[in-house]
Amino acid sequence: MKVNVLHVDGCPSLDPLMEVLHDLVAGRGDITLSTTLVSSTQDALRLGFHGSPTILIDGSDPFPWRDRKIGLSCRIYPDGAGRMAGYPMREMLAEALRISP
């Protein structure tokens, strides 16, 4: 499984998200993590970038948000308690990766 995190430069959610992802996939040789910097509107359009960070698992966004516009902006995710956060909760990521949190 390939997990790619699309992000803009300086995204405050990137580091904490990557920490959670690294922790979740530790010891899993079947899962690779990578990041891709999105630096232009053209890149955002080409990649289907719906804000930073956007997580792609094998090329698909497991957290689609139909009304979210493509562009260089921050992205928010529901946190399961009725609030929004800068990246998905650990449990949501584990479910998307089909692994135990």
Side-chain angles (χ1 to χ4, degrees):
M1 178 183 310
K2 294 179 183 178
V3 179
N4 187 18
V5 179
L6 310 177
H7 65 94
V8 295
D9 191 35
C11 175
S13 298
L14 179 63
D15 287 343
L17 169 61
M18 293 307 292
E19 285 181 31
V20 172
L21 286 171
H22 280 288
D23 187 49
L24 284 171
V25 305
R28 295 285 307 257
D30 60 327
I31 301 175
T32 60
L33 296 178
S34 63
T35 61
T36 300
L37 178 64
V38 181
S39 57
S40 70
T41 302
Q42 293 80 8
D43 286 344
L45 290 167
R46 179 176 52 82
L47 295 167
F49 181 68
H50 291 274
S52 186
T54 290
I55 303 153
L56 301 179
I57 298 176
D58 290 334
S60 295
D61 186 341
F63 307 103
W65 190 352
R66 291 187 189 117
D67 295 333
R68 181 82 175 139
K69 296 191 187 298
I70 291 176
L72 302 176
S73 62
C74 291
R75 181 169 175 171
I76 54 174
Y77 296 84
D79 72 355
R83 296 180 301 258
M84 302 302 272
Y87 58 94
M89 292 177 47
R90 179 184 182 87
E91 293 79 15
M92 295 168 66
L93 290 165
E95 184 178 324
L97 295 167
R98 296 177 195 89
I99 57 178
S100 175

